[in-house]
Amino acid sequence: MKVGLIGAGRIGRIHAENIVHHIPRVQIARIADVAADKVRDWAKGLGITQVTTDVRELLADPEIEAVLVCSSTDTHADIVVAAAEKGKHMFCEKPVDLTLERARACADAVAQADVVCMIGFQRRFDPTFSALKARVEAGEIGDPEMLVITSRDPGAPPIEYIKHSGGIFKDMLIHDFDVFRWMLDDEADTLHATGSSLSDPAIAAAGDIDSTAVTIRTKRGRLCQINTARRAAYGYDQRFELLGSLGMLQAGNVRPTQVTAYSRTAVSSDVPEAFFLERYRTAYALEIAHFFEAVQDGKPVRTTVADGLKALELADAATRSWREGRIIKLGAA
Amino acid sequence: MKVGLIGAGRIGRIHAENIVHHIPRVQIARIADVAADKVRDWAKGLGITQVTTDVRELLADPEIEAVLVCSSTDTHADIVVAAAEKGKHMFCEKPVDLTLERARACADAVAQADVVCMIGFQRRFDPTFSALKARVEAGEIGDPEMLVITSRDPGAPPIEYIKHSGGIFKDMLIHDFDVFRWMLDDEADTLHATGSSLSDPAIAAAGDIDSTAVTIRTKRGRLCQINTARRAAYGYDQRFELLGSLGMLQAGNVRPTQVTAYSRTAVSSDVPEAFFLERYRTAYALEIAHFFEAVQDGKPVRTTVADGLKALELADAATRSWREGRIIKLGAA
Amino acid sequence: MKVGLIGAGRIGRIHAENIVHHIPRVQIARIADVAADKVRDWAKGLGITQVTTDVRELLADPEIEAVLVCSSTDTHADIVVAAAEKGKHMFCEKPVDLTLERARACADAVAQADVVCMIGFQRRFDPTFSALKARVEAGEIGDPEMLVITSRDPGAPPIEYIKHSGGIFKDMLIHDFDVFRWMLDDEADTLHATGSSLSDPAIAAAGDIDSTAVTIRTKRGRLCQINTARRAAYGYDQRFELLGSLGMLQAGNVRPTQVTAYSRTAVSSDVPEAFFLERYRTAYALEIAHFFEAVQDGKPVRTTVADGLKALELADAATRSWREGRIIKLGAA
Amino acid sequence: MKVGLIGAGRIGRIHAENIVHHIPRVQIARIADVAADKVRDWAKGLGITQVTTDVRELLADPEIEAVLVCSSTDTHADIVVAAAEKGKHMFCEKPVDLTLERARACADAVAQADVVCMIGFQRRFDPTFSALKARVEAGEIGDPEMLVITSRDPGAPPIEYIKHSGGIFKDMLIHDFDVFRWMLDDEADTLHATGSSLSDPAIAAAGDIDSTAVTIRTKRGRLCQINTARRAAYGYDQRFELLGSLGMLQAGNVRPTQVTAYSRTAVSSDVPEAFFLERYRTAYALEIAHFFEAVQDGKPVRTTVADGLKALELADAATRSWREGRIIKLGAA
């Protein structure tokens, strides 16, 4: 099966390397990247020689059955619609788009073309998170009642990135909103979000915040609290815990090593894996393998374009809740 | 120093026993309890023979310099005012009262009489919590930014208790609101609370909830999330974590033993201490010792009647936020 | 019940305070101590006024039914024999004596007088250790097969103490040998011990060692390894683990608080409790309560003089194994 | 660089797959295996078509610069000598041979031919173990004093395997002996080993044991205790801890996921990774990469044939210590 890679930046390269090393039946036939010249050497090392700046050229190749959309977010919607029209299956990095309108247009195009469109919510493939989900589904904690998500980056991205990120809720919490829906298997009824800019005045100046506290009450009355920060001095912090009627399950961070040190003053172990590339290394590999299995076996993907849309709706509601200082009723106009 | 105990129920007895066993310079001279007959045997075992049903009789004893107010919540306010008028120092169990008005009247009476009135927020004396606070004050994590409090009981009290409890926010979260103020050394600006009744329909029928999610944004922009439940199948869960600009501090649960078991299927350790009497055993002892040290040395108490009032204001705001489905601005009319 | 305390040093005072504060039916009627003058103030604080330097005077008091032998080790044997002759029950600190001969004489005297003689192996009363033992007895790990004991002090005692200690095996490992017998419910068949002086040349000059490695094979073929050190920079380290046919149980250290700190470089928690007075605080209280319960109810004590003798035999064998560089067959001439 | 794989069993295949997927500059040109027919399909999947039963044919290929010796232990010595004579570099699985004589002959042949011969002690490449070693070398715990190694398999291999394994010390503890030398950077002076057959009478009938306790005292007086078992019900247990003058470092097990479960009765997490293929997955990848880097850059390998010989000497001494019931002096005739 031949596939095309659109966007060979950090995340695009991870997917490409996972395919080359671990999915022998899939071949990356073409790469399109706005900076094609900077990509060629790396691509050659993987045995890929067709590198272009022209996405349309890639999409026009009839041998290419699927594309990986890893370009910048503002390009996603056009590519998704175009790829759907060409009948290509798609793996698209999150978010589909920063606006609900364009994201809905993508979902419509995908539905009409009847192609697979999987969204890159890699956390659903993290071994710890997915093991926890399986245990919830097996009934280990009875009915889920309360979810607490802690999601913190090791540091804020450059302010230029933040300015075009769509805001912290769409850029960072979109993953947490997806984890919320996945873990509780329920939909939001009301959402409250607040936040502050505590680490850098430039973030506030850019109209954004770096610390947020979100509360969701679901249609079935379950509760979810999400706390996030752009800067955790100790590294990338990705935990959640789910209280149910019969017990609780916690998903903890991953430590690089299992060394424990005893000094005069403390017993200490490693800080968590540094950032998402390390923390979700295995998740990225499992995610992309899942995509190709689903495409080839005609099975449903775990993270659909509808999931992407739902997460975006929550991110949009959170943004409004924070900006307008009010509780948002989901599903209401 | 002679003291009087008013109310010799579960918590009153704990204080009395701590005094008898560990504070030799303090003598419990009299006990007043509505069920004096049920108290006599226990009192005798501690060498206390003066047991009455009449609080006024106890307060009239000029030799008694201080009283412990451990009777039911609805009696607190009258006793506090009366004791203040008699010039007695007081240790008063939380909450001062279920209504803000009467609580304020108590604070006024205490101020006018210039007596000590310490409120029983024992968590401030828990070795783990107070060690954490000391480390925050020493600057270990820089500026505090986000506090996440998990506070769960092992099971709901009888429905009759719940009906007269003032609601979950005044009965249960009042401790968490005090921890919030203590840990962040800041005051609430806005508060949002929501919740559900998930464990028992009788709780909903009584107009209360058993699961809550509260978010507070402070005057300085700091964030606090509190999640509580009346029922955690695994026991009493009392944790919090405080993210600061330089790191994070977590306060964990206490395990009865340090046994770890490796079976075919799991590596396991003890569930947390069963409930507050076990979890805060040391805190209760330190709390009551602190009260008498403060009284005798003329030093300020760690938890004043003003603290009790502030916590009650937050509990009141949370109740309104939940009932009215809106964000509450503190300090506003 | 009236008792006499012989030796009011560090450990004698702990026992006395536990009795005064927690065992109302027992009264310490007399104290004998070589430095009686230094003891009087402390004794008075506990309400004990009869303080003498003369042990015989104390033993001659017919009202005294039991004595606590907490004087220096070299005085134990004479006191035990004399107390047995007077028909007193005894709680005797470990070791009974540094020589097997005198320890055996003590055991004989106790047997003939038919009095209770409990040896102060407080670890058997540690909540973690005794919970683990109960789980072994309940069959949780099947047949016990291998025991690994880690037993390290935070620092070596003064060299003068070491010179009169009887050597590390009798002074320090005697507790571990008792834990071995208790946990495996089995007796040693062969024993190998080796060691080194690594922390201080004065210890080697005194003919002793500060680090030991002992291996015992039991009559039933079970294995036990003990590693000890006089100096663990991180504090008092008291752990063991027991592998059985169906699983493993570990006894871990106790931390003063449950604070976990996340810094840029490490996730850290408290070092273990500083030394035995802190680590075994609860064990000491339970131990002395057990003694009086056994005496008053006529029930067997958990740690008999025979247990003391057996532990001493192992300590003696270990000393010989180390000195002579050979494996010792227990029970052989 | 072209290499040959001799022996395509479980471990041979792991090395081959790591090379194919992760070391692009190395090509497996030929495979020799006694059951060549059973190997072809797997080899084809990796793009390797030259599969033979004849080791000599493989060694005769002048294009092959290095060989991986992954055949059964009894074939190692002949292959190593033959490969050395042909000037091939070698990666040889442990142990070199079950007899010291033949292992020494291998070492001599390697030395004479001046080829690289790395022994497959993969634990030295485990991220946790090697991080700990680096911290020891950086001085974090001062002078190393005592090493405690816990090394337990999840279950005994088939009795037929055990009969030809050379005994537990050569088959299983050889890794622990290498860890001992690596961690303490010191050599054994005396060694004591004992053991029992506790899990299966057939093991005793085969003249072997399943549980061992080994103590080594080094030339510098450091102590090491190793405890091993063929059967740990909870899985593969690979831990060690190193006490030094300034602190302690522990290497813990790896858990498959970071899920923690709170039930009514316990707080539990995953048992360790199931067995060596899972536990040392990363170590195997790093080990084989290290071999090729060393060969290509002319740098020393981390685990030489001399290390293999030293570990075998310890295994041999342990076997004698256990069989003869005596302490072995190393370096003595």
Side-chain angles (χ1 to χ4, degrees):
Chain A
M1 180 176 183
K2 290 189 176 172
V3 303
L5 170 66
I6 300 169
R10 195 164 50 172
I11 194 69
R13 293 183 183 203
I14 284 178
H15 294 313
E17 288 162 10
N18 277 323
I19 291 169
V20 169
H21 295 318
H22 300 299
I23 312 182
R25 68 190 182 284
V26 171
Q27 186 202 339
I28 301 176
R30 285 175 187 270
I31 295 175
D33 192 287
V34 287
D37 287 346
K38 292 184 178 167
V39 168
R40 276 184 231 282
D41 278 358
W42 163 82
K44 207 173 173 184
L46 292 181
I48 308 166
T49 52
Q50 300 292 322
V51 180
T52 175
T53 56
D54 189 350
V55 174
R56 283 167 305 177
E57 184 190 319
L58 186 151
L59 292 176
D61 183 342
E63 292 208 320
I64 286 181
E65 292 179 56
V67 293
L68 311 178
V69 186
C70 304
S71 47
S72 63
T73 298
D74 58 331
T75 67
H76 287 186
D78 286 347
I79 295 172
V80 167
V81 171
E85 286 170 358
K86 294 281 185 185
K88 314 287 190 202
H89 299 301
M90 275 165 278
F91 174 90
C92 179
E93 275 303 319
K94 64 89 213 171
V96 183
D97 193 84
L98 293 177
T99 71
L100 276 170
E101 278 168 342
R102 299 188 72 192
R104 283 175 189 143
C106 289
D108 291 346
V110 164
Q112 246 176 321
D114 198 21
V115 291
V116 172
C117 179
M118 175 169 161
I119 303 299
F121 286 133
Q122 87 284 352
R123 292 189 197 176
R124 293 205 190 193
F125 298 89
D126 177 76
T128 290
F129 291 4
S130 56
L132 195 156
K133 170 69 173 172
R135 292 169 73 163
V136 173
E137 290 188 340
E140 185 170 330
I141 57 166
D143 291 326
E145 294 176 353
M146 194 179 306
L147 176 67
V148 179
I149 300 177
T150 298
S151 180
R152 299 169 186 161
D153 282 0
I159 196 69
E160 276 311 306
Y161 175 93
I162 284 181
K163 283 179 185 168
H164 299 92
S165 69
I168 192 168
F169 296 108
K170 289 182 184 171
D171 183 55
M172 190 172 158
L173 280 88
I174 191 137
H175 283 293
D176 304 301
F177 292 129
D178 184 59
V179 168
F180 149 73
R181 292 184 60 250
W182 180 44
M183 276 295 141
L184 289 184
D185 204 8
D186 201 352
E187 299 294 344
D189 183 49
T190 58
L191 183 150
H192 169 256
T194 185
S196 288
S197 178
L198 298 168
S199 70
D200 183 355
I203 293 175
D208 205 353
I209 47 181
D210 55 20
S211 306
T212 77
V214 176
T215 300
I216 304 173
R217 192 174 184 280
T218 72
K219 295 192 186 300
R220 288 193 253 175
R222 293 161 177 175
L223 304 175
C224 171
Q225 285 195 313
I226 306 171
N227 75 79
T228 66
R230 284 284 192 190
R231 176 197 59 193
Y234 54 91
Y236 191 48
D237 191 351
Q238 298 279 295
R239 290 171 288 147
F240 63 81
E241 64 180 52
L242 181 49
L243 175 69
S245 53
L246 302 179
M248 175 172 64
L249 288 166
Q250 289 178 320
N253 285 312
V254 178
R255 298 192 285 164
T257 79
Q258 305 306 312
V259 176
T260 304
Y262 289 65
S263 74
R264 274 182 209 286
T265 53
V267 177
S268 59
S269 54
D270 290 358
V271 290
E273 292 278 13
F275 208 4
F276 65 97
L277 295 181
E278 295 85 3
R279 171 68 177 85
Y280 292 115
R281 193 186 295 118
T282 303
Y284 286 121
L286 294 173
E287 170 187 64
I288 209 72
H290 170 85
F291 171 66
F292 287 110
E293 276 166 32
V295 166
Q296 295 188 323
D297 301 352
K299 289 186 185 165
V301 290
R302 200 181 291 179
T303 51
T304 65
V305 69
D307 291 317
L309 202 52
K310 285 282 186 185
L312 189 63
E313 284 170 4
L314 293 171
D316 189 74
T319 308
R320 283 185 288 136
S321 176
W322 159 61
R323 286 224 177 101
E324 302 168 17
R326 62 184 185 93
I327 301 164
I328 302 294
K329 172 87 176 169
L330 273 294
Chain B
M1 180 175 183
K2 291 188 176 174
V3 304
L5 171 65
I6 300 169
R10 195 164 49 172
I11 193 69
R13 294 183 183 203
I14 284 178
H15 294 315
E17 288 161 10
N18 277 324
I19 290 169
V20 170
H21 295 318
H22 300 299
I23 312 183
R25 67 190 183 284
V26 172
Q27 187 202 338
I28 300 177
R30 286 175 186 270
I31 294 175
D33 192 287
V34 287
D37 287 346
K38 292 186 179 165
V39 167
R40 276 183 231 282
D41 277 358
W42 163 82
K44 208 173 173 183
L46 292 180
I48 308 166
T49 52
Q50 300 292 323
V51 180
T52 176
T53 56
D54 188 350
V55 174
R56 282 167 305 177
E57 186 189 317
L58 186 152
L59 292 176
D61 183 342
E63 291 208 319
I64 286 181
E65 292 179 57
V67 292
L68 312 178
V69 186
C70 305
S71 47
S72 63
T73 299
D74 58 331
T75 68
H76 287 186
D78 286 347
I79 296 171
V80 167
V81 171
E85 285 169 358
K86 295 281 184 185
K88 314 287 191 203
H89 299 300
M90 275 165 280
F91 174 90
C92 180
E93 274 304 320
K94 65 90 212 169
V96 185
D97 192 83
L98 293 177
T99 70
L100 276 170
E101 278 167 344
R102 300 188 72 193
R104 282 175 189 142
C106 290
D108 290 347
V110 165
Q112 245 175 323
D114 198 21
V115 291
V116 172
C117 180
M118 175 167 159
I119 302 299
F121 287 133
Q122 86 286 349
R123 293 190 196 174
R124 294 206 190 193
F125 297 88
D126 177 75
T128 291
F129 291 5
S130 57
L132 195 157
K133 171 69 173 172
R135 292 168 75 162
V136 173
E137 289 187 341
E140 185 171 328
I141 56 165
D143 293 325
E145 295 177 350
M146 193 178 307
L147 176 65
V148 179
I149 299 178
T150 297
S151 182
R152 298 170 186 161
D153 281 1
I159 196 71
E160 276 312 305
Y161 175 93
I162 283 182
K163 283 179 183 167
H164 299 92
S165 69
I168 193 167
F169 296 107
K170 290 182 185 172
D171 182 56
M172 189 171 159
L173 281 86
I174 191 136
H175 283 293
D176 304 302
F177 292 128
D178 184 60
V179 168
F180 150 73
R181 291 183 61 251
W182 179 45
M183 275 297 140
L184 289 183
D185 206 8
D186 201 353
E187 299 294 346
D189 184 48
T190 58
L191 182 149
H192 168 258
T194 185
S196 288
S197 178
L198 298 169
S199 69
D200 184 354
I203 293 176
D208 205 354
I209 47 180
D210 55 19
S211 306
T212 77
V214 175
T215 300
I216 304 172
R217 192 174 184 280
T218 73
K219 294 192 186 305
R220 287 194 254 175
R222 292 161 178 176
L223 304 176
C224 171
Q225 285 195 313
I226 305 171
N227 75 80
T228 68
R230 284 283 191 191
R231 179 196 57 195
Y234 53 91
Y236 192 47
D237 191 353
Q238 298 279 294
R239 290 171 287 147
F240 63 80
E241 63 180 53
L242 181 49
L243 175 70
S245 54
L246 302 179
M248 175 171 65
L249 288 166
Q250 290 178 321
N253 286 312
V254 177
R255 297 191 285 163
T257 78
Q258 306 305 313
V259 176
T260 304
Y262 290 65
S263 73
R264 273 180 210 287
T265 53
V267 177
S268 58
S269 54
D270 291 357
V271 290
E273 292 279 13
F275 207 5
F276 65 96
L277 295 180
E278 295 85 0
R279 172 66 178 86
Y280 291 115
R281 193 187 295 119
T282 303
Y284 286 120
L286 295 173
E287 171 189 62
I288 209 72
H290 170 85
F291 171 67
F292 288 110
E293 278 167 29
V295 166
Q296 295 188 323
D297 300 352
K299 289 186 183 164
V301 290
R302 200 181 291 179
T303 51
T304 65
V305 70
D307 292 317
L309 202 53
K310 285 283 188 185
L312 188 63
E313 284 170 5
L314 293 172
D316 189 73
T319 308
R320 284 185 287 136
S321 176
W322 160 61
R323 286 223 177 103
E324 301 168 17
R326 63 186 183 90
I327 301 164
I328 304 293
K329 173 87 176 168
L330 274 295
Chain C
M1 181 177 182
K2 291 189 174 173
V3 303
L5 170 66
I6 301 169
R10 193 165 49 174
I11 192 69
R13 293 184 182 201
I14 284 178
H15 294 314
E17 288 161 9
N18 277 324
I19 290 169
V20 169
H21 295 318
H22 300 300
I23 312 184
R25 70 191 181 282
V26 172
Q27 184 203 340
I28 300 176
R30 286 176 185 270
I31 294 175
D33 192 288
V34 287
D37 287 347
K38 293 185 178 166
V39 167
R40 275 182 234 280
D41 278 359
W42 164 82
K44 207 173 171 183
L46 292 181
I48 309 166
T49 52
Q50 301 292 322
V51 180
T52 176
T53 57
D54 189 350
V55 174
R56 282 167 306 178
E57 187 189 315
L58 185 152
L59 292 176
D61 182 340
E63 291 207 320
I64 286 179
E65 292 178 58
V67 293
L68 311 177
V69 186
C70 305
S71 48
S72 64
T73 299
D74 59 330
T75 67
H76 287 186
D78 286 348
I79 295 171
V80 167
V81 171
E85 285 170 358
K86 295 280 187 187
K88 314 286 192 205
H89 299 300
M90 274 164 281
F91 173 89
C92 179
E93 274 303 319
K94 64 88 212 172
V96 185
D97 193 84
L98 293 176
T99 72
L100 276 170
E101 279 167 344
R102 300 189 71 193
R104 283 175 189 142
C106 290
D108 290 346
V110 164
Q112 246 176 322
D114 198 21
V115 291
V116 171
C117 179
M118 175 168 159
I119 303 300
F121 286 133
Q122 86 286 350
R123 292 189 197 175
R124 293 205 190 193
F125 297 89
D126 176 76
T128 290
F129 291 5
S130 56
L132 194 157
K133 171 69 173 172
R135 291 169 74 162
V136 173
E137 288 188 340
E140 184 171 330
I141 57 165
D143 293 325
E145 294 177 351
M146 193 178 307
L147 176 66
V148 178
I149 300 177
T150 297
S151 181
R152 298 169 186 160
D153 281 0
I159 196 71
E160 277 312 304
Y161 175 93
I162 283 181
K163 283 178 184 167
H164 299 92
S165 70
I168 192 168
F169 296 108
K170 289 181 185 171
D171 182 56
M172 189 171 159
L173 281 87
I174 192 137
H175 282 293
D176 303 302
F177 292 129
D178 184 60
V179 168
F180 149 73
R181 290 184 61 250
W182 180 45
M183 276 296 141
L184 289 183
D185 204 9
D186 201 352
E187 299 294 345
D189 184 49
T190 58
L191 182 151
H192 169 258
T194 185
S196 288
S197 177
L198 298 169
S199 69
D200 183 355
I203 292 175
D208 205 352
I209 47 181
D210 56 19
S211 306
T212 78
V214 176
T215 301
I216 304 173
R217 191 174 184 279
T218 73
K219 293 191 187 304
R220 288 194 254 176
R222 293 160 178 177
L223 305 175
C224 171
Q225 285 196 311
I226 305 170
N227 75 79
T228 67
R230 284 286 192 189
R231 179 197 55 195
Y234 54 91
Y236 193 47
D237 191 354
Q238 299 278 294
R239 291 170 288 148
F240 64 81
E241 64 179 53
L242 181 49
L243 175 70
S245 53
L246 302 179
M248 175 170 66
L249 288 166
Q250 289 178 320
N253 286 312
V254 178
R255 297 191 286 164
T257 79
Q258 306 306 313
V259 177
T260 303
Y262 289 66
S263 74
R264 273 180 209 288
T265 54
V267 178
S268 59
S269 54
D270 290 359
V271 290
E273 292 278 14
F275 207 5
F276 64 98
L277 295 180
E278 295 85 2
R279 171 68 177 85
Y280 291 115
R281 193 186 295 117
T282 304
Y284 285 121
L286 295 173
E287 172 188 62
I288 208 73
H290 170 84
F291 171 66
F292 288 111
E293 278 167 31
V295 165
Q296 295 187 324
D297 301 352
K299 288 187 184 162
V301 291
R302 199 181 292 178
T303 52
T304 66
V305 70
D307 291 318
L309 201 54
K310 285 284 188 184
L312 189 63
E313 284 170 4
L314 293 171
D316 189 74
T319 309
R320 284 185 288 136
S321 176
W322 160 59
R323 285 222 178 103
E324 301 168 18
R326 63 185 183 89
I327 301 164
I328 303 293
K329 172 86 176 170
L330 273 295
Chain D
M1 181 177 183
K2 291 188 174 173
V3 303
L5 169 67
I6 300 169
R10 194 165 50 173
I11 193 69
R13 292 183 183 202
I14 284 178
H15 294 314
E17 287 161 11
N18 277 322
I19 291 170
V20 169
H21 295 317
H22 300 299
I23 313 183
R25 66 189 182 283
V26 171
Q27 185 203 340
I28 301 177
R30 286 174 186 270
I31 294 175
D33 193 287
V34 286
D37 288 346
K38 292 185 179 168
V39 167
R40 273 183 235 281
D41 278 359
W42 164 81
K44 207 172 171 184
L46 293 180
I48 308 166
T49 52
Q50 300 292 322
V51 181
T52 175
T53 57
D54 188 351
V55 175
R56 282 168 305 179
E57 186 189 317
L58 185 153
L59 292 176
D61 182 342
E63 292 207 319
I64 287 179
E65 291 179 58
V67 292
L68 312 178
V69 186
C70 304
S71 47
S72 64
T73 299
D74 59 331
T75 67
H76 287 186
D78 286 348
I79 295 171
V80 167
V81 171
E85 285 170 358
K86 294 281 186 187
K88 313 289 191 204
H89 299 301
M90 273 165 281
F91 174 89
C92 180
E93 274 304 319
K94 66 88 213 170
V96 185
D97 193 84
L98 294 176
T99 72
L100 276 170
E101 278 167 343
R102 298 187 72 191
R104 282 175 188 141
C106 289
D108 291 347
V110 165
Q112 245 177 321
D114 199 21
V115 290
V116 172
C117 179
M118 175 168 160
I119 303 299
F121 287 133
Q122 87 285 352
R123 293 190 198 175
R124 294 204 188 194
F125 297 89
D126 176 76
T128 290
F129 291 4
S130 56
L132 194 157
K133 171 69 173 173
R135 292 168 73 162
V136 173
E137 289 187 339
E140 183 170 330
I141 57 165
D143 292 325
E145 294 176 353
M146 193 178 308
L147 176 67
V148 178
I149 300 176
T150 297
S151 180
R152 298 169 186 161
D153 282 0
I159 196 71
E160 276 311 305
Y161 175 92
I162 283 182
K163 283 179 183 167
H164 299 92
S165 69
I168 193 170
F169 296 107
K170 289 181 184 172
D171 182 57
M172 190 172 157
L173 281 88
I174 192 137
H175 282 293
D176 303 301
F177 291 128
D178 184 61
V179 168
F180 149 73
R181 293 183 61 248
W182 180 45
M183 276 296 141
L184 288 183
D185 205 9
D186 200 352
E187 299 294 343
D189 184 47
T190 58
L191 182 151
H192 169 257
T194 185
S196 288
S197 177
L198 297 169
S199 68
D200 184 355
I203 293 176
D208 205 353
I209 47 181
D210 55 20
S211 305
T212 78
V214 175
T215 301
I216 304 173
R217 192 174 183 279
T218 72
K219 293 190 186 307
R220 287 193 254 177
R222 294 162 178 175
L223 305 175
C224 170
Q225 285 195 312
I226 306 171
N227 75 79
T228 66
R230 285 284 192 189
R231 178 196 57 195
Y234 53 91
Y236 192 48
D237 191 353
Q238 299 279 295
R239 290 171 289 147
F240 63 81
E241 63 180 53
L242 181 49
L243 175 70
S245 53
L246 302 179
M248 176 172 65
L249 288 166
Q250 289 178 321
N253 285 313
V254 178
R255 298 193 284 164
T257 79
Q258 306 305 313
V259 176
T260 303
Y262 289 65
S263 74
R264 273 181 210 288
T265 53
V267 178
S268 59
S269 55
D270 291 357
V271 290
E273 292 278 13
F275 207 5
F276 65 97
L277 295 181
E278 294 85 3
R279 171 69 176 85
Y280 292 115
R281 193 186 296 117
T282 304
Y284 285 122
L286 294 173
E287 171 188 64
I288 209 72
H290 171 84
F291 170 67
F292 288 110
E293 278 167 30
V295 165
Q296 295 187 324
D297 301 353
K299 288 186 184 164
V301 290
R302 198 181 290 179
T303 52
T304 65
V305 69
D307 291 317
L309 201 53
K310 286 282 188 185
L312 188 63
E313 284 170 5
L314 292 171
D316 189 74
T319 308
R320 283 185 289 136
S321 177
W322 160 59
R323 285 222 177 104
E324 302 168 17
R326 63 187 184 89
I327 301 163
I328 303 293
K329 172 86 176 170
L330 273 294

